[in-house]
């Protein structure tokens, strides 16, 4: 990843001590660059150039034969113009360098923004992978728990053996239950028969008791009649 360089100007450290605002500073700097008045000492270069040009024009406009003076003033003006042009060329070179640096900075900025977007996309992908990894790990832990539970269980052969023994026990219990049910049904029938016999026997006994009571009552009545009529037999014979 490219690293941007931070350039600090000479005026940054003392910018707070200026008596003008940022907008006024920009206007002053622009004016100084145009007029080449970068210093407060001496005459401004543009004013000096103007004076040279004015002197040359005044000398040319004279009617006298002053070719040498005009030539001298023209050379002085051209020299001053060259002197004034050199800083302009330097400034232009600085401006071009600044423009190129700005373009490089913009390219670097675009590249950094592209890298930031790419890193953000990679972060999102990593987040998704992390979530998928968490889910996969959870599934693995669940599978491991199930595997441990399965490992704690007895082997399949023992389980099948236990199932077979339980099946036999169930069959034996079912057979025993069937036999018990049949025996219980038989006992019910026998008990019902016994109750029927007991009822018939009780009825027979009651009948015999009633018959005995009636016989005893009849016998007692006969005895009473015989006691009251001891000669009942002679009278009957006499009547006959």
């Amino acid at each position: 990843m490219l690293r941007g360089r931070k350039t600090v100007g000479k005026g940054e450290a003392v910018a707070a001590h200026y008596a003008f605002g940022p907008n006024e500073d920009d206007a002053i700097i622009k004016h100084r660059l145009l007029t080449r008045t970068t210093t407060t000492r001496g005459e401004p270069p543009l004013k000096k150039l103007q004076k040279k040009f004015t002197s040359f024009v005044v000398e040319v406009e004279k009617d006298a034969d002053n070719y040498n003076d005009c030539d001298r003033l023209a050379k002085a003006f051209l020299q001053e113009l060259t002197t004034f042009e050199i800083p302009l060329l330097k400034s232009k070179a600085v401006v071009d360098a600044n423009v190129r640096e700005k373009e490089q900075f913009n390219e670097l900025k675009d590249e950094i923004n592209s890298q930031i977007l790419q890193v953000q996309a990679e972060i999102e992908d990593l987040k998704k992978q992390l979530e998928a990894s968490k889910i996969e790990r959870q599934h693995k832990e669940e599978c491991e728990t199930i595997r441990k539970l399965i490992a704690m269980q007895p082997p399949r052969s023992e389980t099948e053996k236990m199932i077979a023994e339980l099946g036999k026990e169930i069959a034996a219990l079912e057979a025993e239950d069937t036999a018990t049910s049949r025996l219980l049904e038989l006992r019910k029938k026998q008990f019902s028969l016994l109750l029927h016999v007991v009822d018939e026997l009780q009825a027979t006994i009651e009948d015999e008791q009633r018959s005995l009571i009636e016989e005893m009552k009849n016998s007692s009545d006969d005895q009473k009649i015989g006691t009251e009529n001891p000669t009942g037999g002679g009278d009957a014979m006499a009547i006959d």
Side-chain angles (χ1 to χ4, degrees):
M1 183 180 293
L2 297 176
R3 297 181 179 178
R5 295 180 301 171
K6 183 178 180 182
T7 58
V8 179
K10 294 181 180 180
E12 283 191 6
V14 292
H17 300 287
Y18 287 167
F20 304 100
N23 296 329
E24 295 176 352
D25 288 343
D26 292 340
I28 292 171
I29 292 172
K30 184 177 180 180
H31 177 71
R32 287 183 177 180
L33 288 175
L34 292 175
T35 59
R36 305 302 302 168
T37 55
T38 57
T39 170
T40 58
R41 294 182 180 181
E43 194 173 12
L46 185 60
K47 191 171 183 180
K48 290 170 64 177
L49 181 63
Q50 182 181 2
K51 286 183 177 181
K52 296 286 184 182
F53 179 74
T54 303
S55 299
F56 172 70
V57 171
V58 170
E59 192 66 29
V60 169
E61 290 179 351
K62 289 180 180 180
D63 294 335
D65 187 8
N66 54 357
Y67 175 77
N68 293 329
D69 293 334
C70 290
D71 183 59
R72 178 178 55 81
L73 292 174
K75 290 181 180 178
F77 170 71
L78 293 176
Q79 184 178 1
E80 188 66 27
L81 181 62
T82 303
T83 304
F84 183 81
E85 187 180 10
I86 289 174
L88 292 178
L89 294 174
K90 291 181 179 180
S91 299
K92 185 177 182 301
V94 172
V95 170
D96 294 339
N98 290 333
V99 170
R100 289 193 300 271
E101 187 175 357
K102 183 179 179 181
E103 292 177 353
Q104 293 177 357
F105 175 78
N106 291 332
E107 293 177 358
L108 179 62
K109 182 179 178 181
D110 294 337
E111 184 178 357
I112 291 174
N113 291 332
S114 176
Q115 291 178 358
I116 289 173
L117 294 176
Q118 183 178 359
V119 170
Q120 289 177 349
E122 292 177 356
I123 290 173
E124 294 297 328
D125 292 338
L126 291 174
K127 286 182 179 179
K128 294 179 180 178
Q129 293 179 7
L130 180 62
E131 293 296 329
S133 299
K134 288 182 179 179
I135 295 173
E136 184 179 0
R137 181 177 180 181
Q138 184 178 1
H139 290 170
K140 287 183 179 180
E141 290 177 353
E142 292 176 355
C143 292
E144 182 66 18
T145 303
I146 295 173
R147 188 192 65 81
K148 290 180 179 179
L149 291 175
I150 293 173
M152 294 172 62
Q153 303 299 323
R156 183 174 181 179
S157 58
E158 295 183 3
T159 304
E160 291 178 349
K161 184 178 179 181
M162 291 174 62
I163 291 173
E165 291 178 355
L166 290 174
K168 291 179 181 179
E169 291 181 1
I170 291 171
L173 291 173
E174 288 178 351
E176 184 178 356
D177 182 65
T178 302
T180 304
S181 298
R182 291 178 180 176
L183 181 61
L184 181 61
E185 189 67 25
L186 179 61
R187 291 292 186 267
K188 286 182 179 180
K189 291 180 180 180
Q190 291 177 353
F191 187 70
S192 298
L193 180 60
L194 179 61
L195 290 176
H196 182 67
V197 172
V198 169
D199 290 338
E200 290 182 352
L201 182 59
Q202 186 175 0
T204 303
I205 293 172
E206 290 178 354
D207 292 338
E208 290 178 355
Q209 287 179 353
R210 283 195 296 269
S211 299
L212 182 60
I213 291 171
E214 289 178 356
E215 290 178 358
M216 291 177 65
K217 185 177 180 181
N218 293 331
S219 176
S220 176
D221 292 339
D222 292 339
Q223 289 178 1
K224 287 181 179 181
I225 293 170
T227 304
E228 292 176 355
N229 299 314
T231 58
D235 295 337
M237 289 178 62
I239 292 170
D240 288 340

